[in-house]
Amino acid sequence: MKFSPSKEDYIKTIYSLNGSEDIVSNKQLANSLAVSAASVTDMNNRLKKESLITYYPYKGVQLTDLGIQVANQLIRKHRIWEVFLFEKLGFEWNEVHIEADRLEHASSDKVIERLSELLGHPEYDPHGGIIPNADGTVDLDKVPLVSLKDITVGQSFIVKEVPDEDSVLLNYLSQKGFSLNHKYEVTDIEMFDGTLTLKNSQTGDAFTVSGQALEKIRVSVN
Ligand SMILES: [Zn+2]
C-alpha cells in the first residue's frame, strides 16, 4: 500500500493523538495540523472511503485496524531512517527526526527492509522508541516504562525513551550528559520546581535536570 505524503501525515497525526484507542475530534486534528475545519472534513471523507478510519458524526474519528497498521508501518520507516542517520551518517540524536520525517514518505518497503538488514534489524530508534514490525504490528511485551517525573529520591532507573520531536530538550539532555540506556540514581528533588539531582551509576558524576524536562522522559525502574 502506498498513500500520498499528506494522507500519511494525517494518519500519523491521528495516531499520535491516540486515535488507535480514542476518538480524536476534528478540532484536535485541525489544531495539530494547522489546517481549516473544512480540510479536516475533506480528508476524513477520503480516509473513510479507504477504510482507514471510522467516522463518528459530531465526535470525530478513530483509526481502523488497517489505519493502525498503516500508521505503524510509517513509524517503522521513520525510525529505521533515524537509526541509519544516527549510526551510519553521524547525525546527532536531536537532528535525525526532521530528516526522517521527509525520508519516510519517499522510501519503498523494499528500501526499508534492506536498511533494516544493513542495520542488524534494530528494535529501537535512537530515542528509545520501539520500531514496529514490517507487518505493522508492535511487540509490547517489552519492559514497562514509567515517566521520570514519577521517580523518587533513592530510586535508580535506566533511561529508555526520550521524545524525538523536541530538539531543544534533546540538546539540553545531551549537554547534561544524559543518555539512553544509562543508569542513574535520584539523589535529590527540589521541592520548588521538581528539579532532580542525578548520579550516573557508572561514573558517579552528579548533575541536575530541570523538572520541566521530566514528563516526556520514559524510564525503567529496577
Ligand atoms: Zn522521529
Side-chain angles (χ1 to χ4, degrees), residues 78-79 82 96-98 100-101 125 127 164-165:
H78 179 97
R79 293 185 172 170
E82 288 192 333
V96 297
H97 179 74
I98 290 175
D101 260 349
D125 75 18
H127 314 99
D164 67 347
E165 76 288 354

Side-chain angles (χ1 to χ4, degrees), residues 95-209:
E95 296 175 322
V96 297
H97 179 74
I98 290 175
E99 300 293 339
D101 260 349
R102 284 197 285 262
L103 291 163
E104 67 188 24
H105 301 295
S107 23
S108 66
D109 293 345
K110 195 170 174 183
V111 167
I112 294 301
E113 293 326 305
R114 291 276 173 87
L115 268 181
S116 175
E117 201 179 314
L118 173 78
L119 297 165
H121 299 294
E123 292 183 72
Y124 298 94
D125 75 18
H127 314 99
I130 296 176
I131 298 177
N133 302 316
D135 64 1
T137 58
V138 180
D139 301 328
L140 287 174
D141 54 339
K142 314 251 153 101
V143 213
L145 301 181
V146 294
S147 167
L148 182 50
K149 77 172 187 352
D150 297 326
I151 306 297
T152 55
V153 174
Q155 271 187 304
S156 294
F157 62 88
I158 295 174
V159 184
K160 287 297 185 184
E161 188 170 6
V162 292
D164 67 347
E165 76 288 354
D166 190 341
S167 65
V168 175
L169 173 62
L170 290 173
N171 218 349
Y172 172 77
L173 295 175
S174 301
Q175 280 170 3
K176 290 284 182 175
F178 192 84
S179 20
L180 274 190
N181 296 316
H182 281 63
K183 189 172 174 178
Y184 303 91
E185 186 192 332
V186 179
T187 56
D188 187 50
I189 300 177
E190 197 73 58
M191 288 310 286
F192 176 63
D193 63 355
T195 294
L196 295 187
T197 305
L198 300 177
K199 192 176 85 180
N200 183 318
S201 301
Q202 212 178 346
T203 63
D205 290 344
F207 59 96
T208 58
V209 176

